[in-house]
Amino acid sequence: TTTPHHTHERLPSRLVSVTVQASAKINLYLRVGPLRSDGYHDLATVFHAVSLHDEITVEESEHLSLEICGEQAEKVPLDGDNLAVRAAMLLARRLGREPGVRIVLRKGIPVAGGMAGGSADAAATLIACAALWHAELPHDELMTLAAQLGSDVPFCVVGGTALGHGRGERLAPVLAAGPWYWVLALADGGLSTPQVYAEFDRRRASGDGELREPGDGEPLDVPAALLSALRDGDPKRLGSLLHNDLQDAAVALRPALGRVLEAGLDGGALGGIVCGSGPTCAFLVSDQDAAVDLAARLAGSGWVRAVRCATGPAAGARILARTAG
Ligand code: C5P
């Protein structure tokens, strides 16, 4: 029997499988501080979850295994580098048990696209395995495990719209009216996040472009105007305030992204931005009709592999179904 999670029936005592959905993110604003001694950068960012998602099913099994289907499935690593596998192992170790679980991952989020696809899988696997194994972990502890798996994983657990500080793992909720309508331009091939950060550091050190480090004592923060546009639900203002410090580095590594951004803005977007470390680009529009219109134009431009319409804010990792044995 499969029970939707929102029913208030008594939960079955023994579960054999759990399915969890987790959303992709975009960064509405991303300011990168200095490189830290641990290899990460301090950030000031606004995370925003959108309605593109991956789905993970975990099933009791003797051995830990992973199967992947859906879009670009062949591009996802199947070994111990996979964030879903690492999430299951980390939680099992924390609980002092074997990680015997069969993980089936259905990809809907572009792979290596700057939209936290791997982090969403890690968040979904943590939630799914915690439910399967009846682990009553306090939220704080779950978030600590999430941060150990990656800087974006804590946000993928909570979803919505949130301020991120530290390396992205320190979160505070943000009031964001909505829905916000997005058109996503998907690229052929991914970009490596460490490579984009390295290019960013190189450009900043050599004084390329407008990049400059925040001065001593200058707080690494998000502009109040952007937060008020979010609160007021004003897409025109928000569109003009979207910003990503990593964008120039991503465009330097993948010059065609410049054309994609141009095509989106020429096509009527209120604002356009590279998602995280790229190469996906996100365009904000005023409503559903504008989204369909811009998606058609971008698809016809010849500069993108595929387009998707999405809305935000979307939920964090949530249980879709539990199956009792
Ligand atoms: O945390 P995560 O494993 O997702 O980060 C991947 C890479 O991105 C890091 O190894 C680092 O090179 C870069 N990164 C960074 N500063 C951050 C987040 C990520 O330099 N705040």
Side-chain angles (χ1 to χ4, degrees):
T1 54
T2 295
T3 352
H5 76 111
H6 51 262
T7 60
H8 296 285
E9 295 159 27
R10 257 176 71 83
L11 288 178
S13 56
R14 202 182 120 86
L15 293 173
V16 291
S17 89
V18 178
T19 298
V20 172
Q21 176 180 297
S23 306
K25 62 86 184 157
I26 58 188
N27 301 79
L28 305 179
Y29 185 86
L30 177 57
R31 183 94 167 98
V32 181
L35 177 62
R36 313 191 314 201
S37 56
D38 63 1
Y40 287 93
H41 296 75
D42 275 320
L43 304 178
T45 191
V46 179
F47 289 112
H48 180 69
V50 295
S51 54
L52 236 56
H53 55 261
D54 285 359
E55 226 177 83
I56 289 245
T57 298
V58 296
E59 274 173 34
E60 265 188 11
S61 166
E62 204 169 321
H63 303 289
L64 178 58
S65 69
L66 172 66
E67 290 150 53
I68 305 178
C69 54
E71 217 179 316
Q72 298 179 293
E74 71 289 348
K75 300 203 167 149
V76 181
L78 272 166
D79 56 9
D81 279 346
N82 185 283
L83 273 168
V85 169
R86 287 178 41 208
M89 296 198 324
L90 181 67
L91 182 62
R93 199 159 60 237
R94 158 67 184 74
L95 298 172
R97 55 164 294 144
E98 291 299 316
V101 77
R102 172 176 178 244
I103 305 172
V104 180
L105 165 54
R106 280 171 294 274
K107 289 300 297 178
I109 305 176
V111 177
M115 300 194 74
S119 304
D121 301 341
T125 306
L126 274 182
I127 302 292
C129 288
L132 185 73
W133 296 336
H134 299 282
E136 313 258 321
L137 278 191
H139 182 72
D140 282 3
E141 221 175 303
L142 189 75
M143 295 297 267
T144 303
L145 292 178
Q148 284 174 40
L149 291 163
S151 308
D152 294 338
V153 181
F155 175 72
C156 291
V157 171
V158 297
T161 306
L163 273 178
H165 284 103
R167 62 187 165 90
E169 87 287 16
R170 278 175 32 218
L171 299 173
V174 159
L175 269 181
W180 304 90
Y181 294 91
W182 299 95
V183 178
L184 303 165
L186 278 48
D188 246 335
L191 275 174
S192 143
T193 301
Q195 266 174 36
V196 174
Y197 272 102
E199 173 68 13
F200 171 85
D201 288 333
R202 195 196 62 73
R203 294 168 65 81
R204 183 152 65 184
S206 66
D208 282 2
E210 305 279 298
L211 295 167
R212 121 195 122 74
E213 290 208 15
D216 265 354
E218 187 187 332
L220 195 57
D221 236 326
V222 171
L226 185 132
L227 297 177
S228 87
L230 269 171
R231 219 167 28 233
D232 298 346
D234 185 334
K236 247 194 197 134
R237 260 197 292 147
L238 182 64
S240 70
L241 293 166
L242 298 173
H243 172 80
N244 180 359
D245 268 359
L246 293 177
Q247 180 159 310
D248 288 351
V251 174
L253 293 172
R254 188 72 66 80
L257 290 183
R259 299 306 188 92
V260 176
L261 289 166
E262 224 174 79
L265 296 174
D266 288 351
L270 302 172
I273 199 166
V274 168
C275 294
S277 55
T280 311
C281 293
F283 298 99
L284 182 63
V285 292
S286 53
D287 55 33
Q288 183 70 43
D289 286 348
V292 171
D293 188 49
L294 179 60
R297 280 169 181 253
L298 280 171
S301 74
W303 289 108
V304 304
R305 171 174 66 81
V307 290
R308 297 279 180 272
C309 293
T311 57
R318 63 195 181 97
I319 296 179
L320 292 183
R322 294 175 163 96
T323 311

